[in-house]
Amino acid sequence: MNMLNIATQGVKTAQSLLDNEALNISQMSNSAYTRRNVRVTSRADGTVQAQEVVRVAGLEQRRQMWRAVSAASELGVQKPHADALLTQLGGTDVASDPLGLRDFVKALGHEAQTVSDDVHTEGVFAALGHVTERTNMMFSALERMRENLNMVRAGDTEKVNRLTATLADLNRLHRLVPDEAGRLAIEDQRDQALGELAAFIDVEVREDSSGAYHVLTRGGHPLVLGNRAAKLEAQPGGGYTLVAGASQVSVSGDGLGGRLGGHDRFLARELDQRIADVTEVARTLAEQLNRAHADDQTPGFNGTPLLSLTRAANGGAVLELNLQTAQGLNLNARSTTSNSTTLQRLKGALNAPVTLAGRVGGTLVEAMSALAADTGRRASEIDASANSANAVLVSARTQLQKQAGVDETDSGGALMAYMKLYRANAKVASVANDLFDATLSMVR
């Protein structure tokens, strides 16, 4: 009887192993599936028993992959933004002149060669008009970049909210599902949703005793607690608001990571800084030219300006040329304190130093070249860091695939071994049954 019992339990265990490996093989092409193993234990009576089916890759292995996804996304999302910003600032060509300042200098230099008192001002006037036009085109382009970036941030935030709501629903279903197979399937779905969420936010995932996942931001703010999900709202000036019921908490992009953190990092550290830098260049240009044109160096100068720097309805800067005709330049007007003309004073004004945040002062032309050079360096740094982060991500995915994926050769070999085990136990059971029948016949 004991032999029959052992063989029968062996057949049942082998059948469980066969069924599980067949399921693994059938899901080989399903990227959301995690390979299952059957835990087999020995019993006191010498038999073996299939206890439970478990997923082979645990939460810690997945955490490593999610961190790699977030890091790669945070850097990858900045690269196209940085390239677009570099293009707007004139690219890496040192001869580029996005604001037309060099053309204005050439126009002033050409007129300076005029030896008669009849200085032709049309070329200078046209060049100065081109400076204002190009400056305003740059202001408009940078503001459009900002608006588009905020639209992307808002769209990504909505995707995050949909994913967190899905995770909260899956937590609820995980608690209610009646069988083990259903729970494992839901765990696969949760991991897939978390993998998608990790591209947008660097998440910290914790599992409680009931098997529910609690999802927090890198800064420790809760996104999902059991079957409840908070909502994120993107703020136009940068940063986010986390809303949970009546509670609202401000969250910085640095506290999120992923795409959301990458957007905010570029917005605050690159785009907004460049907008401020270009605005400072335009402000210095207007101030220096206005003083030179009016021949007034007093601190409280408030005469009719040659140029005005104002704000548009969208909050962006606008540079305006206030003269209607070239004659208003009065390039031959003598200074009240020296023999220099307006022409010479305007040339000198373009060599006035402009000091930008974190940079050594230089001329207006040099300042614009420095902005392009700095942006080019940052674009290269972001590109190199993104490549490194992608290499780490590929490695993490490969490691997880080795643990959680289904290998055709390994699973096929396991299936053949379990079939042999099944047949061997079935044969033992058959022999034990024959011996039992023979024994009964002898008793009769």
Side-chain angles (χ1 to χ4, degrees):
M1 285 294 292
N2 191 46
M3 181 187 297
L4 181 60
N5 185 40
I6 292 173
T8 301
Q9 283 297 120
V11 168
K12 291 180 179 179
T13 300
Q15 185 64 60
S16 297
L17 293 168
L18 278 170
D19 291 343
N20 180 72
E21 208 57 53
L23 175 62
N24 285 336
I25 293 174
S26 70
Q27 297 295 317
M28 190 179 304
S29 60
N30 183 2
S31 60
Y33 179 80
T34 300
R35 181 166 54 89
R36 273 73 155 144
N37 275 353
V38 177
R39 286 181 179 170
V40 178
T41 59
S42 299
R43 300 170 63 178
D45 59 0
T47 61
V48 293
Q49 183 177 12
Q51 289 289 341
E52 59 179 340
V53 180
V54 296
R55 300 190 308 159
V56 296
L59 186 56
E60 183 55 37
Q61 289 85 356
R62 296 184 182 279
R63 282 196 188 105
Q64 295 175 9
M65 201 255 304
W66 294 332
R67 291 190 194 104
V69 169
S70 296
S73 298
E74 184 171 358
L75 289 162
V77 77
Q78 296 179 58
K79 185 179 184 304
H81 295 323
D83 291 341
L85 179 58
L86 179 59
T87 300
Q88 291 299 332
L89 293 174
T92 56
D93 184 2
V94 295
S96 65
D97 188 21
L99 299 186
L101 293 174
R102 287 192 175 92
D103 291 340
F104 185 43
V105 172
K106 289 179 182 178
L108 288 170
H110 174 73
E111 293 300 330
Q113 303 303 315
T114 304
V115 295
S116 68
D117 290 337
D118 184 20
V119 178
H120 298 287
T121 59
E122 285 80 3
V124 175
F125 185 76
L128 184 56
H130 289 157
V131 169
T132 60
E133 290 173 6
R134 291 184 182 185
T135 302
N136 289 331
M137 288 174 61
M138 180 169 288
F139 281 142
S140 297
L142 293 176
E143 286 299 326
R144 282 197 301 272
M145 284 186 65
R146 202 176 194 285
E147 292 171 2
N148 291 338
L149 182 55
N150 275 325
M151 290 177 60
V152 173
R153 290 174 64 239
D156 282 354
T157 302
E158 286 303 313
K159 293 175 183 176
V160 168
N161 291 335
R162 286 196 292 270
L163 287 168
T164 53
T166 297
L167 286 166
D169 287 341
L170 290 172
N171 275 337
R172 178 178 56 82
L173 292 173
H174 185 268
R175 186 180 72 252
L176 298 175
V177 73
D179 55 39
E180 185 177 62
R183 285 192 295 275
L184 293 177
I186 289 174
E187 289 172 9
D188 281 345
Q189 294 177 50
R190 284 192 314 193
D191 287 346
Q192 185 180 29
L194 280 164
E196 296 176 22
L197 182 62
F200 297 98
I201 294 179
D202 186 2
V203 292
E204 173 62 31
V205 182
R206 301 172 185 173
E207 185 177 12
D208 65 17
S209 58
S210 69
Y213 279 177
H214 303 304
V215 184
L216 295 84
T217 67
R218 181 166 65 188
H221 296 94
L223 289 170
V224 179
L225 294 177
N227 60 358
R228 294 175 297 169
K231 287 188 176 182
L232 276 173
E233 297 176 357
Q235 300 303 315
Y240 302 83
T241 300
L242 186 64
V243 181
S247 174
Q248 294 188 2
V249 179
S250 295
V251 182
S252 68
D254 287 340
L256 294 179
R259 285 177 58 92
L260 295 190
H263 289 319
D264 269 46
R265 182 178 291 271
F266 178 81
L267 178 66
R269 301 188 182 183
E270 308 295 337
L271 182 55
D272 280 353
Q273 184 59 55
R274 293 299 178 268
I275 291 175
D277 289 339
V278 175
T279 303
E280 181 60 21
V281 169
R283 187 198 66 77
T284 303
L285 174 69
E287 179 181 338
Q288 297 298 331
L289 290 182
N290 287 343
R291 289 181 180 278
H293 185 256
D295 191 21
D296 190 337
Q297 301 302 313
T298 61
F301 169 70
N302 59 0
T304 303
L306 177 63
L307 296 171
S308 298
L309 186 64
T310 59
R311 290 286 174 182
N314 64 356
V318 177
L319 187 64
E320 296 179 353
L321 176 59
N322 296 316
L323 296 181
Q324 299 300 315
T325 63
Q327 285 69 30
L329 286 173
N330 293 325
L331 296 184
N332 265 337
R334 297 289 179 180
S335 170
T336 58
T337 59
S338 68
N339 291 327
S340 66
T341 63
T342 303
L343 179 66
Q344 298 298 332
R345 294 196 304 274
L346 291 177
K347 286 185 64 180
L350 289 175
N351 290 322
V354 54
T355 303
L356 302 178
R359 297 174 183 82
V360 177
T363 66
L364 293 163
V365 174
E366 290 170 345
M368 288 306 300
S369 296
L371 291 182
D374 284 354
T375 304
R377 282 193 295 271
R378 282 294 299 136
S380 297
E381 291 170 1
I382 290 170
D383 190 24
S385 298
N387 289 337
S388 297
N390 282 327
V392 173
L393 175 58
V394 169
S395 176
R397 281 179 170 159
T398 301
Q399 291 299 319
L400 184 64
Q401 180 63 24
K402 288 180 179 179
Q403 294 173 332
V406 180
D407 183 86
E408 182 177 7
T409 302
D410 291 345
S411 292
L415 192 65
M416 295 300 296
Y418 297 151
M419 288 178 64
K420 291 178 180 178
L421 179 63
Y422 180 89
R423 289 169 181 165
N425 280 280
K427 182 65 175 178
V428 171
S430 177
V431 171
N433 189 58
D434 290 344
L435 290 174
F436 183 67
D437 288 344
T439 303
L440 286 178
S441 298
M442 290 172 62
V443 173
R444 294 188 189 129

